[in-house]
C-alpha cells in the first residue's frame, strides 16, 4: 500500500465566512459515497490498485468535501496519474463555493 501522509491545509468556509483547517488523508472503504456523486466511488475503490496508488479525501467540519484516486509510477520518470477527482455535489454550485479550494488541495 502507498504510504500517504496527512496534511492540514487552509480552506474557506462560505457558511460562516471564515477560514478553517481541512485535512488531506487516505480515504477508507467506508468513506466512499454511494449516492449523489458523479463517480461511483464504491466501484472505484474495488478497482483501485493500492500497491501503486490510493484514494485521498479532503475533510473539513466533519464532512468529506472531495476525493481523488491516483496511481504512482516510479519508473522510469517518477510520475503520478490522477484517475478520478471530484468534489461533493453540495460544493458544485457556480458561486459561491461552500468550501474552497477543494480541487487545488486534492491535486496538490
Amino acid at each position: 500500500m502507498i504510504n500517504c501522509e496527512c496534511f492540514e491545509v487552509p480552506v474557506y468556509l462560505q457558511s460562516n465566512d471564515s477560514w478553517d483547517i481541512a485535512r488531506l488523508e487516505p480515504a477508507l472503504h467506508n468513506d466512499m459515497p454511494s449516492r449523489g456523486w458523479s463517480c461511483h466511488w464504491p466501484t472505484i475503490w474495488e478497482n483501485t490498485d493500492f500497491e501503486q496508488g490510493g484514494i485521498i479525501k479532503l475533510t473539513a467540519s466533519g464532512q468529506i468535501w472531495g476525493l481523488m484516486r491516483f496511481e504512482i509510477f516510479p519508473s522510469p520518470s517518477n510520475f503520478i496519474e490522477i484517475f478520478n477527482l471530484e468534489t461533493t455535489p453540495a460544493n458544485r454550485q457556480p458561486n459561491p463555493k461552500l468550501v474552497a479550494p477543494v480541487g487545488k488541495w486534492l491535486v496538490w
Side-chain angles (χ1 to χ4, degrees), residues 25-66:
E25 58 193 332
L28 304 173
H29 185 265
N30 62 349
D31 292 325
M32 299 300 104
S34 58
R35 296 178 16 214
W37 292 54
S38 296
C39 296
H40 191 260
W41 286 98
T43 301
I44 291 169
W45 178 274
E46 297 301 325
N47 294 321
T48 297
D49 178 359
F50 288 97
E51 293 295 320
Q52 298 296 322
I55 298 176
I56 298 294
K57 66 181 177 180
L58 184 134
T59 57
S61 301
Q63 184 174 351
I64 295 175
W65 288 97

Side-chain angles (χ1 to χ4, degrees), residues 1-96:
M1 178 177 258
I2 295 291
N3 184 17
C4 295
E5 296 180 29
C6 296
F7 294 94
E8 291 186 341
V9 296
V11 293
Y12 178 72
L13 302 176
Q14 177 66 29
S15 59
N16 58 4
D17 192 31
S18 66
W19 287 87
D20 198 0
I21 298 298
R23 290 180 53 91
L24 284 164
E25 58 193 332
L28 304 173
H29 185 265
N30 62 349
D31 292 325
M32 299 300 104
S34 58
R35 296 178 16 214
W37 292 54
S38 296
C39 296
H40 191 260
W41 286 98
T43 301
I44 291 169
W45 178 274
E46 297 301 325
N47 294 321
T48 297
D49 178 359
F50 288 97
E51 293 295 320
Q52 298 296 322
I55 298 176
I56 298 294
K57 66 181 177 180
L58 184 134
T59 57
S61 301
Q63 184 174 351
I64 295 175
W65 288 97
L67 294 165
M68 180 194 65
R69 184 178 84 118
F70 68 95
E71 233 176 88
I72 296 174
F73 298 93
S75 295
S77 59
N78 294 327
F79 71 92
I80 185 168
E81 184 170 355
I82 297 172
F83 292 100
N84 304 88
L85 173 69
E86 185 174 10
T87 65
T88 181
N91 206 50
R92 292 192 206 138
Q93 305 168 46
N95 225 359

